[in-house]
């Protein structure tokens, strides 16, 4: 597909009627300032269960994650607040993202890492879709107690293994190994615990 702009759509999510309009308006504003750079606009999501019962009116607020405080390369590599189906990308991002990394990085993570290094990311602090979180999701989001500090401490060994695997997946961009990853993961967790959204 060759286009000026691109969006990803998860088949089971429900887009708000103004999702495209809000994203495109923001894209045009940042284009006026940044021209032909790789540009990415993203939004918040409301989290629902598979039957569309509300779990969290704002994913970011539910985990106390202000995405504007995570838009550096080091932090986005350990805590990416940008979901694929919330993105609007310009064609410069498409040129930047290929070839895709041959590793375990999810496509949205890969795009965000590259845009934060070479382009501009703009955040819309409004949910523009109902994100369905199924009980059997392999990937998804955690809300409420699933993100608690106590839960992380109780699961320290599996978390260390998970974080080590995530750090190795970043070898493709020469991120800097497990120690650097764990340091910035601790910084990200501290930001989420100590800074109010």
């Amino acid at each position: 597909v060759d286009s000026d702009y691109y969006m990803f759509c998860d088949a089971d999510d429900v887009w708000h009627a103004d999702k495209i309009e809000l994203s495109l308006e923001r894209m045009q504003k940042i284009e006026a300032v940044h021209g032909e750079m790789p540009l990415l606009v993203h939004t918040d999501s409301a989290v629902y269960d598979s039957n569309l019962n509300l779990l969290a009116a704002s994913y970011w607020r539910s985990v106390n994650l202000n995405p504007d405080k995570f838009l550096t390369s080091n932090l986005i590599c350990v805590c990416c607040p940008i979901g694929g189906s919330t993105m609007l990308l310009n064609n410069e991002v498409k040129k930047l993202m290929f070839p895709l990394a041959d590793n375990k990085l999810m496509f949205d993570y890969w795009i965000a890492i590259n845009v934060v290094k070479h382009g501009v990311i703009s955040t819309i602090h409004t949910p523009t879709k109902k994100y369905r979180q199924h009980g059997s999701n392999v990937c998804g989001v955690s809300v409420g107690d699933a993100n608690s500090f106590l839960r992380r401490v109780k699961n320290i060994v599996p978390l260390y293994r998970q974080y080590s695997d995530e750090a190795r997946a970043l070898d493709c961009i020469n991120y800097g190994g497990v120690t650097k990853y764990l340091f910035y993961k601790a910084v990200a967790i501290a930001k989420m615990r100590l800074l109010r959204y």
Side-chain angles (χ1 to χ4, degrees):
V1 174
D2 191 23
S3 180
D4 293 332
Y5 306 109
Y6 303 89
M7 296 181 94
F8 301 103
C9 181
D10 289 348
D12 58 344
D13 293 339
V14 178
W15 285 15
H16 296 184
D18 60 353
K19 180 181 191 302
I20 296 172
E21 180 182 2
L22 287 173
S23 299
L24 187 57
E25 283 176 3
R26 177 65 62 85
M27 177 65 76
Q28 291 168 340
K29 284 181 184 175
I30 62 174
E31 279 176 333
V33 176
H34 299 287
E36 296 297 316
M37 292 183 71
L39 304 175
L40 184 158
V41 172
H42 71 115
T43 70
D44 196 358
S45 297
V47 183
Y48 288 76
D49 69 13
S50 58
N51 296 314
L52 288 179
N53 296 306
L54 182 66
L55 300 175
S58 161
Y59 169 63
W60 293 334
R61 287 188 186 280
S62 76
V63 295
N64 197 39
L65 192 162
N66 183 338
D68 294 332
K69 299 186 185 315
F70 286 78
L71 296 182
T72 68
S73 180
N74 284 324
L75 287 173
I76 224 163
C77 283
V78 300
C79 182
C80 184
I82 302 170
S85 61
T86 72
M87 297 177 176
L88 172 67
L89 317 170
N90 70 356
N91 200 43
E92 295 303 310
V93 173
K94 178 187 171 187
K95 294 174 189 173
L96 182 66
M97 64 189 249
F98 289 107
L100 293 174
D102 186 20
N103 58 23
K104 296 178 183 178
L105 296 181
M106 298 292 287
F107 76 95
D108 45 2
Y109 190 30
W110 174 251
I111 292 168
I113 288 169
N114 281 284
V115 176
V116 80
K117 289 168 123 182
H118 305 288
V120 175
I121 296 173
S122 183
T123 304
I124 298 174
H125 290 264
T126 303
T128 61
K129 69 171 186 144
K130 296 176 180 177
Y131 173 81
R132 275 195 230 233
Q133 177 71 38
H134 297 282
S136 60
N137 274 31
V138 174
C139 296
V141 299
S142 301
V143 295
D145 290 340
N147 291 304
S148 74
F149 179 74
L150 184 58
R151 182 176 218 134
R152 289 177 190 269
V153 170
K154 285 182 178 178
N155 295 304
I156 195 74
V157 173
L159 266 179
Y160 177 78
R161 287 188 193 120
Q162 174 189 334
Y163 293 163
S164 296
D165 288 345
E166 290 170 3
R168 282 190 287 281
L170 292 169
D171 286 346
C172 64
I173 62 165
N174 300 313
Y175 182 70
V178 175
T179 303
K180 179 179 178 182
Y181 186 90
L182 291 175
F183 173 79
Y184 280 103
K185 184 62 99 170
V187 170
I189 291 168
K191 278 180 173 263
M192 292 167 70
R193 296 290 172 257
L194 302 175
L195 300 176
R196 296 311 309 158
Y197 183 93

